[in-house]
Amino acid sequence: MMNHLIEEWKSFLELEIESEYFQQLEVAVKKEYHGKCIYPPQEDVFNAFNYCSLDQLKVVLIGQDPYHGKGQANGLCFSVKSDQKFPPSLKNIFKELKADLTIEPENGDLSHWAKQGMLMLNTVLTVREGQANSHAGIGWEKFTRAVIKKIAEEKNGVVFMLWGGQAQKFEKLIDSNKHCILKSGHPSPLSANRGFWFGNNHFSHTNIYLKSAGKLEIAW
């Protein structure tokens, strides 16, 4: 599985990758891929890292687990392959993007965000077809927590976009004096329709912060 992770991130995450829990996680995930239909495809599991240069990292967006429908997940949180319909959460993300910056993406593939230095990391990186959260609790959460902690400690001036209660659990790992923390409700219909998502202006706030820090803004 690790042969699909690029070298700069392998080096950065070496201690985690070599840990006993991660070795056990890798065995468990490989077994799942051999016996069941798992998303995303194995070669896409680490796309959040592979599409985002560690040297250029400036935004971290935290999701939950991959979409569990056929052909949807592409290894980036909230993103789908370009030929897929927009899932409900992504529809609401695009509604907010339009309201905030008058931008209307043509498809749901958000890899162009990732390639600009945005780590689009799900808390759990794999899922069984049709079974949301089916790979929760097997070790991914420990890994992603360690990733976020290490980024928060070793990088400066990163925007952390924490959407919903699960993502906001990571806030305690992040020094707000070193980084920008943007919090809102989750873009899922349940949260958004209760008034916890729309109007957060996170896309423009991200770029305002990046510009103030002398970094290139994200071309959403």
Side-chain angles (χ1 to χ4, degrees), residues 29-49:
V29 171
K30 282 182 177 178
K31 184 177 180 181
E32 286 282 293
Y33 271 103
H34 283 128
K36 298 178 177 66
C37 185
I38 305 299
Y39 298 129
Q42 287 194 61
E43 62 271 18
D44 292 342
V45 169
F46 293 109
N47 276 353
F49 302 98

Side-chain angles (χ1 to χ4, degrees), residues 124-137:
V124 174
L125 301 191
T126 53
V127 68
R128 291 179 187 170
E129 182 178 32
Q131 298 180 46
N133 294 313
S134 48
H135 282 181

Side-chain angles (χ1 to χ4, degrees), residues 1 11-12 33 42 68 114 117 127 158 160 172 183-184 186:
M1 188 167 70
S11 179
F12 186 70
Y33 271 103
Q42 287 194 61
H68 52 80
V127 68
V158 175
F160 287 87
K172 62 182 179 291
K183 297 189 294 182
S184 79
H186 195 274

Side-chain angles (χ1 to χ4, degrees), residues 9-201:
W9 280 103
K10 275 186 184 177
S11 179
F12 186 70
L13 301 171
E14 185 177 11
L15 289 179
E16 293 305 309
I17 291 169
E18 292 180 351
S19 67
E20 183 178 353
Y21 87 85
F22 193 88
Q23 302 299 318
Q24 294 172 349
L25 169 64
E26 190 169 12
V27 169
V29 171
K30 282 182 177 178
K31 184 177 180 181
E32 286 282 293
Y33 271 103
H34 283 128
K36 298 178 177 66
C37 185
I38 305 299
Y39 298 129
Q42 287 194 61
E43 62 271 18
D44 292 342
V45 169
F46 293 109
N47 276 353
F49 302 98
N50 296 341
Y51 284 21
C52 175
S53 166
L54 178 60
D55 288 340
Q56 300 299 317
L57 174 65
K58 54 192 174 187
V59 181
V60 176
L61 174 61
I62 302 169
Q64 296 182 1
D65 69 335
Y67 296 118
H68 52 80
K70 183 178 180 180
Q72 289 182 301
N74 65 358
L76 307 173
C77 69
F78 297 108
S79 176
V80 292
K81 295 182 179 180
S82 60
D83 61 347
Q84 294 291 310
K85 294 180 180 178
F86 301 162
S89 290
L90 188 56
K91 283 184 181 178
N92 285 335
I93 289 171
F94 286 166
K95 284 181 182 178
E96 177 60 23
L97 180 58
K98 182 181 178 181
D100 188 8
L101 293 172
T102 67
I103 294 171
E104 296 184 76
E106 295 181 356
N107 64 70
D109 182 358
L110 304 180
S111 58
H112 64 290
W113 292 4
K115 291 173 183 177
Q116 296 176 74
M118 188 166 175
L119 183 66
M120 305 179 65
L121 185 64
N122 276 314
T123 308
V124 174
L125 301 191
T126 53
V127 68
R128 291 179 187 170
E129 182 178 32
Q131 298 180 46
N133 294 313
S134 48
H135 282 181
I138 66 171
W140 281 126
E141 295 93 337
K142 187 172 182 178
F143 172 69
T144 52
R145 184 183 187 278
V147 171
I148 293 162
K149 185 173 186 290
K150 190 171 176 65
I151 289 170
E153 289 175 349
E154 299 194 15
K155 294 286 185 177
N156 289 293
V158 175
V159 179
F160 287 87
M161 305 173 85
L162 307 182
W163 296 347
Q166 185 171 330
Q168 289 169 23
K169 291 178 182 177
F170 295 106
E171 183 180 5
K172 62 182 179 291
L173 303 176
I174 305 163
D175 183 350
S176 60
N177 294 315
K178 287 177 58 181
H179 305 288
C180 174
I181 301 173
L182 299 178
K183 297 189 294 182
S184 79
H186 195 274
S188 67
L190 180 62
S191 177
N193 293 336
R194 290 166 60 194
F196 300 136
W197 166 255
F198 293 114
N200 65 39
N201 296 320

